[in-house]
PDB file of all heavy atoms in Angstrom:
ATOM      1  N   HIS A 135      66.098 169.896 105.741  1.00 94.00           N
ATOM      2  CA  HIS A 135      66.806 169.635 104.485  1.00 94.00           C
ATOM      3  C   HIS A 135      67.570 170.899 104.086  1.00 94.00           C
ATOM      4  O   HIS A 135      66.979 171.918 103.754  1.00 94.00           O
ATOM      5  CB  HIS A 135      65.787 169.264 103.399  1.00 94.00           C
ATOM      6  CG  HIS A 135      66.366 169.173 102.026  1.00 94.00           C
ATOM      7  ND1 HIS A 135      67.091 168.101 101.592  1.00 94.00           N
ATOM      8  CD2 HIS A 135      66.324 170.032 100.978  1.00 94.00           C
ATOM      9  CE1 HIS A 135      67.469 168.300 100.334  1.00 94.00           C
ATOM     10  NE2 HIS A 135      67.020 169.463  99.944  1.00 94.00           N
ATOM     11  N   THR A 136      68.904 170.836 104.151  1.00 90.00           N
ATOM     12  CA  THR A 136      69.710 172.009 103.768  1.00 90.00           C
ATOM     13  C   THR A 136      70.699 171.692 102.659  1.00 90.00           C
ATOM     14  O   THR A 136      71.476 172.558 102.267  1.00 90.00           O
ATOM     15  CB  THR A 136      70.505 172.548 104.984  1.00 90.00           C
ATOM     16  OG1 THR A 136      71.405 171.531 105.445  1.00 90.00           O
ATOM     17  CG2 THR A 136      69.583 172.984 106.113  1.00 90.00           C
ATOM     18  N   ALA A 137      70.679 170.458 102.164  1.00 79.00           N
ATOM     19  CA  ALA A 137      71.656 170.059 101.145  1.00 79.00           C
ATOM     20  C   ALA A 137      70.936 169.471  99.938  1.00 79.00           C
ATOM     21  O   ALA A 137      70.076 168.616 100.080  1.00 79.00           O
ATOM     22  CB  ALA A 137      72.629 169.019 101.718  1.00 79.00           C
ATOM     23  N   GLU A 138      71.319 169.926  98.761  1.00 71.00           N
ATOM     24  CA  GLU A 138      70.647 169.472  97.549  1.00 71.00           C
ATOM     25  C   GLU A 138      70.838 167.975  97.288  1.00 71.00           C
ATOM     26  O   GLU A 138      70.008 167.336  96.666  1.00 71.00           O
ATOM     27  CB  GLU A 138      71.150 170.274  96.337  1.00 71.00           C
ATOM     28  CG  GLU A 138      70.652 171.701  96.310  1.00 71.00           C
ATOM     29  CD  GLU A 138      69.140 171.810  96.445  1.00 71.00           C
ATOM     30  OE1 GLU A 138      68.422 171.089  95.735  1.00 71.00           O
ATOM     31  OE2 GLU A 138      68.669 172.597  97.279  1.00 71.00           O
ATOM     32  N   ASP A 139      71.969 167.417  97.770  1.00 65.00           N
ATOM     33  CA  ASP A 139      72.223 165.999  97.483  1.00 65.00           C
ATOM     34  C   ASP A 139      71.652 165.090  98.570  1.00 65.00           C
ATOM     35  O   ASP A 139      71.899 163.904  98.588  1.00 65.00           O
ATOM     36  CB  ASP A 139      73.728 165.735  97.310  1.00 65.00           C
ATOM     37  CG  ASP A 139      74.573 166.422  98.375  1.00 65.00           C
ATOM     38  OD1 ASP A 139      73.996 166.899  99.364  1.00 65.00           O
ATOM     39  OD2 ASP A 139      75.798 166.472  98.206  1.00 65.00           O
ATOM     40  N   SER A 140      70.870 165.646  99.473  1.00 66.00           N
ATOM     41  CA  SER A 140      70.183 164.833 100.473  1.00 66.00           C
ATOM     42  C   SER A 140      68.712 165.189 100.447  1.00 66.00           C
ATOM     43  O   SER A 140      68.344 166.358 100.435  1.00 66.00           O
ATOM     44  CB  SER A 140      70.760 165.094 101.868  1.00 66.00           C
ATOM     45  OG  SER A 140      69.932 164.532 102.852  1.00 66.00           O
ATOM     46  N   LYS A 141      67.858 164.176 100.426  1.00 72.00           N
ATOM     47  CA  LYS A 141      66.426 164.432 100.409  1.00 72.00           C
ATOM     48  C   LYS A 141      65.824 164.337 101.814  1.00 72.00           C
ATOM     49  O   LYS A 141      64.631 164.473 101.988  1.00 72.00           O
ATOM     50  CB  LYS A 141      65.743 163.432  99.471  1.00 72.00           C
ATOM     51  CG  LYS A 141      66.162 163.599  98.016  1.00 72.00           C
ATOM     52  CD  LYS A 141      65.296 162.775  97.121  1.00 72.00           C
ATOM     53  CE  LYS A 141      65.544 162.926  95.635  1.00 72.00           C
ATOM     54  NZ  LYS A 141      66.552 163.809  95.183  1.00 72.00           N
ATOM     55  N   ALA A 142      66.657 164.071 102.812  1.00 83.00           N
ATOM     56  CA  ALA A 142      66.159 163.884 104.167  1.00 83.00           C
ATOM     57  C   ALA A 142      65.789 165.209 104.814  1.00 83.00           C
ATOM     58  O   ALA A 142      66.396 166.238 104.544  1.00 83.00           O
ATOM     59  CB  ALA A 142      67.218 163.168 105.010  1.00 83.00           C
ATOM     60  N   GLY A 143      64.772 165.167 105.667  1.00 94.00           N
ATOM     61  CA  GLY A 143      64.415 166.342 106.450  1.00 94.00           C
ATOM     62  C   GLY A 143      63.180 167.065 105.941  1.00 94.00           C
ATOM     63  O   GLY A 143      62.687 166.811 104.836  1.00 94.00           O
ATOM     64  N   PHE A 144      62.673 167.972 106.773  1.00 96.00           N
ATOM     65  CA  PHE A 144      61.600 168.857 106.330  1.00 96.00           C
ATOM     66  C   PHE A 144      62.103 169.613 105.109  1.00 96.00           C
ATOM     67  O   PHE A 144      63.246 170.078 105.081  1.00 96.00           O
ATOM     68  CB  PHE A 144      61.239 169.850 107.440  1.00 96.00           C
ATOM     69  CG  PHE A 144      60.359 169.298 108.520  1.00 96.00           C
ATOM     70  CD1 PHE A 144      60.912 168.704 109.647  1.00 96.00           C
ATOM     71  CD2 PHE A 144      58.979 169.367 108.412  1.00 96.00           C
ATOM     72  CE1 PHE A 144      60.100 168.200 110.652  1.00 96.00           C
ATOM     73  CE2 PHE A 144      58.152 168.865 109.418  1.00 96.00           C
ATOM     74  CZ  PHE A 144      58.715 168.269 110.534  1.00 96.00           C
ATOM     75  N   ALA A 145      61.239 169.762 104.114  1.00 93.00           N
ATOM     76  CA  ALA A 145      61.658 170.358 102.846  1.00 93.00           C
ATOM     77  C   ALA A 145      62.041 171.821 102.987  1.00 93.00           C
ATOM     78  O   ALA A 145      62.874 172.329 102.244  1.00 93.00           O
ATOM     79  CB  ALA A 145      60.552 170.211 101.802  1.00 93.00           C
ATOM     80  N   ASP A 146      61.423 172.508 103.954  1.00 94.00           N
ATOM     81  CA  ASP A 146      61.709 173.933 104.123  1.00 94.00           C
ATOM     82  C   ASP A 146      61.431 174.337 105.568  1.00 94.00           C
ATOM     83  O   ASP A 146      60.862 173.579 106.352  1.00 94.00           O
ATOM     84  CB  ASP A 146      60.866 174.777 103.162  1.00 94.00           C
ATOM     85  CG  ASP A 146      59.385 174.425 103.217  1.00 94.00           C
ATOM     86  OD1 ASP A 146      58.847 174.317 104.339  1.00 94.00           O
ATOM     87  OD2 ASP A 146      58.776 174.242 102.156  1.00 94.00           O
ATOM     88  N   GLU A 147      61.831 175.545 105.898  1.00 96.00           N
ATOM     89  CA  GLU A 147      61.665 176.037 107.265  1.00 96.00           C
ATOM     90  C   GLU A 147      60.193 176.200 107.625  1.00 96.00           C
ATOM     91  O   GLU A 147      59.800 175.977 108.775  1.00 96.00           O
ATOM     92  CB  GLU A 147      62.405 177.365 107.434  1.00 96.00           C
ATOM     93  CG  GLU A 147      63.914 177.234 107.340  1.00 96.00           C
ATOM     94  CD  GLU A 147      64.642 178.527 107.661  1.00 96.00           C
ATOM     95  OE1 GLU A 147      63.979 179.486 108.148  1.00 96.00           O
ATOM     96  OE2 GLU A 147      65.869 178.590 107.440  1.00 96.00           O
ATOM     97  N   THR A 148      59.375 176.563 106.650  1.00 97.00           N
ATOM     98  CA  THR A 148      57.950 176.789 106.917  1.00 97.00           C
ATOM     99  C   THR A 148      57.276 175.534 107.461  1.00 97.00           C
ATOM    100  O   THR A 148      56.521 175.593 108.437  1.00 97.00           O
ATOM    101  CB  THR A 148      57.225 177.257 105.636  1.00 97.00           C
ATOM    102  OG1 THR A 148      57.835 178.454 105.168  1.00 97.00           O
ATOM    103  CG2 THR A 148      55.751 177.507 105.911  1.00 97.00           C
ATOM    104  N   SER A 149      57.548 174.395 106.840  1.00 97.00           N
ATOM    105  CA  SER A 149      56.921 173.152 107.289  1.00 97.00           C
ATOM    106  C   SER A 149      57.460 172.717 108.646  1.00 97.00           C
ATOM    107  O   SER A 149      56.730 172.176 109.484  1.00 97.00           O
ATOM    108  CB  SER A 149      57.114 172.043 106.249  1.00 97.00           C
ATOM    109  OG  SER A 149      58.484 171.870 105.935  1.00 97.00           O
ATOM    110  N   LEU A 150      58.739 172.988 108.903  1.00 98.00           N
ATOM    111  CA  LEU A 150      59.305 172.654 110.212  1.00 98.00           C
ATOM    112  C   LEU A 150      58.707 173.547 111.300  1.00 98.00           C
ATOM    113  O   LEU A 150      58.377 173.081 112.397  1.00 98.00           O
ATOM    114  CB  LEU A 150      60.824 172.796 110.174  1.00 98.00           C
ATOM    115  CG  LEU A 150      61.606 172.297 111.394  1.00 98.00           C
ATOM    116  CD1 LEU A 150      62.994 171.785 110.983  1.00 98.00           C
ATOM    117  CD2 LEU A 150      61.776 173.391 112.457  1.00 98.00           C
ATOM    118  N   ILE A 151      58.554 174.817 110.983  1.00 98.00           N
ATOM    119  CA  ILE A 151      57.956 175.749 111.952  1.00 98.00           C
ATOM    120  C   ILE A 151      56.522 175.343 112.268  1.00 98.00           C
ATOM    121  O   ILE A 151      56.068 175.449 113.421  1.00 98.00           O
ATOM    122  CB  ILE A 151      58.015 177.196 111.410  1.00 98.00           C
ATOM    123  CG1 ILE A 151      59.471 177.684 111.392  1.00 98.00           C
ATOM    124  CG2 ILE A 151      57.156 178.138 112.252  1.00 98.00           C
ATOM    125  CD1 ILE A 151      59.685 178.971 110.614  1.00 98.00           C
ATOM    126  N   LYS A 152      55.806 174.836 111.267  1.00 97.00           N
ATOM    127  CA  LYS A 152      54.428 174.358 111.489  1.00 97.00           C
ATOM    128  C   LYS A 152      54.419 173.227 112.512  1.00 97.00           C
ATOM    129  O   LYS A 152      53.531 173.161 113.375  1.00 97.00           O
ATOM    130  CB  LYS A 152      53.836 173.885 110.158  1.00 97.00           C
ATOM    131  CG  LYS A 152      52.446 173.284 110.262  1.00 97.00           C
ATOM    132  CD  LYS A 152      51.413 174.299 110.735  1.00 97.00           C
ATOM    133  CE  LYS A 152      50.019 173.689 110.750  1.00 97.00           C
ATOM    134  NZ  LYS A 152      49.024 174.604 111.347  1.00 97.00           N
ATOM    135  N   ALA A 153      55.412 172.346 112.449  1.00 98.00           N
ATOM    136  CA  ALA A 153      55.510 171.258 113.423  1.00 98.00           C
ATOM    137  C   ALA A 153      55.724 171.813 114.828  1.00 98.00           C
ATOM    138  O   ALA A 153      55.153 171.308 115.805  1.00 98.00           O
ATOM    139  CB  ALA A 153      56.650 170.312 113.045  1.00 98.00           C
ATOM    140  N   CYS A 154      56.517 172.865 114.935  1.00 98.00           N
ATOM    141  CA  CYS A 154      56.742 173.497 116.236  1.00 98.00           C
ATOM    142  C   CYS A 154      55.463 174.149 116.757  1.00 98.00           C
ATOM    143  O   CYS A 154      55.184 174.118 117.968  1.00 98.00           O
ATOM    144  CB  CYS A 154      57.855 174.531 116.132  1.00 98.00           C
ATOM    145  SG  CYS A 154      59.495 173.817 115.872  1.00 98.00           S
ATOM    146  N   GLU A 155      54.688 174.728 115.856  1.00 97.00           N
ATOM    147  CA  GLU A 155      53.415 175.323 116.257  1.00 97.00           C
ATOM    148  C   GLU A 155      52.482 174.271 116.849  1.00 97.00           C
ATOM    149  O   GLU A 155      51.829 174.496 117.867  1.00 97.00           O
ATOM    150  CB  GLU A 155      52.746 175.997 115.048  1.00 97.00           C
ATOM    151  CG  GLU A 155      53.451 177.251 114.577  1.00 97.00           C
ATOM    152  CD  GLU A 155      52.869 177.792 113.273  1.00 97.00           C
ATOM    153  OE1 GLU A 155      52.036 177.075 112.653  1.00 97.00           O
ATOM    154  OE2 GLU A 155      53.238 178.908 112.876  1.00 97.00           O
ATOM    155  N   GLU A 156      52.446 173.101 116.195  1.00 97.00           N
ATOM    156  CA  GLU A 156      51.609 172.004 116.694  1.00 97.00           C
ATOM    157  C   GLU A 156      52.095 171.539 118.068  1.00 97.00           C
ATOM    158  O   GLU A 156      51.301 171.283 118.973  1.00 97.00           O
ATOM    159  CB  GLU A 156      51.646 170.832 115.704  1.00 97.00           C
ATOM    160  CG  GLU A 156      51.098 171.154 114.324  1.00 97.00           C
ATOM    161  CD  GLU A 156      49.579 171.187 114.305  1.00 97.00           C
ATOM    162  OE1 GLU A 156      48.942 170.172 114.593  1.00 97.00           O
ATOM    163  OE2 GLU A 156      49.039 172.284 114.007  1.00 97.00           O
ATOM    164  N   ALA A 157      53.416 171.436 118.223  1.00 96.00           N
ATOM    165  CA  ALA A 157      53.987 170.998 119.501  1.00 96.00           C
ATOM    166  C   ALA A 157      53.704 172.020 120.600  1.00 96.00           C
ATOM    167  O   ALA A 157      53.425 171.651 121.751  1.00 96.00           O
ATOM    168  CB  ALA A 157      55.484 170.776 119.356  1.00 96.00           C
ATOM    169  N   ALA A 158      53.780 173.296 120.249  1.00 95.00           N
ATOM    170  CA  ALA A 158      53.528 174.357 121.230  1.00 95.00           C
ATOM    171  C   ALA A 158      52.083 174.329 121.729  1.00 95.00           C
ATOM    172  O   ALA A 158      51.786 174.784 122.837  1.00 95.00           O
ATOM    173  CB  ALA A 158      53.850 175.718 120.618  1.00 95.00           C
ATOM    174  N   LEU A 159      51.180 173.761 120.919  1.00 94.00           N
ATOM    175  CA  LEU A 159      49.777 173.603 121.313  1.00 94.00           C
ATOM    176  C   LEU A 159      49.556 172.320 122.105  1.00 94.00           C
ATOM    177  O   LEU A 159      48.418 171.923 122.359  1.00 94.00           O
ATOM    178  CB  LEU A 159      48.888 173.599 120.055  1.00 94.00           C
ATOM    179  CG  LEU A 159      48.830 174.919 119.278  1.00 94.00           C
ATOM    180  CD1 LEU A 159      48.088 174.743 117.962  1.00 94.00           C
ATOM    181  CD2 LEU A 159      48.167 176.016 120.118  1.00 94.00           C
ATOM    182  N   LEU A 160      50.668 171.686 122.488  1.00 94.00           N
ATOM    183  CA  LEU A 160      50.650 170.467 123.321  1.00 94.00           C
ATOM    184  C   LEU A 160      49.936 169.299 122.651  1.00 94.00           C
ATOM    185  O   LEU A 160      49.267 168.494 123.307  1.00 94.00           O
ATOM    186  CB  LEU A 160      50.019 170.771 124.687  1.00 94.00           C
ATOM    187  CG  LEU A 160      50.663 171.924 125.476  1.00 94.00           C
ATOM    188  CD1 LEU A 160      49.928 172.135 126.785  1.00 94.00           C
ATOM    189  CD2 LEU A 160      52.135 171.635 125.722  1.00 94.00           C
ATOM    190  N   LYS A 161      50.102 169.200 121.325  1.00 95.00           N
ATOM    191  CA  LYS A 161      49.476 168.093 120.602  1.00 95.00           C
ATOM    192  C   LYS A 161      50.274 166.800 120.703  1.00 95.00           C
ATOM    193  O   LYS A 161      49.801 165.746 120.317  1.00 95.00           O
ATOM    194  CB  LYS A 161      49.277 168.480 119.132  1.00 95.00           C
ATOM    195  CG  LYS A 161      48.250 169.596 118.946  1.00 95.00           C
ATOM    196  CD  LYS A 161      47.832 169.741 117.509  1.00 95.00           C
ATOM    197  CE  LYS A 161      46.727 170.786 117.368  1.00 95.00           C
ATOM    198  NZ  LYS A 161      46.267 170.943 115.975  1.00 95.00           N
TER     199      LYS A 161
END
Side-chain angles (χ1 to χ4, degrees):
H135 171 78
T136 62
E138 288 308 312
D139 45 12
S140 168
K141 295 190 176 0
F144 281 90
D146 51 47
E147 293 186 10
T148 301
S149 55
L150 188 149
I151 290 168
K152 176 64 177 174
C154 290
E155 290 173 350
E156 298 283 299
L159 293 172
L160 305 179
K161 293 193 176 181

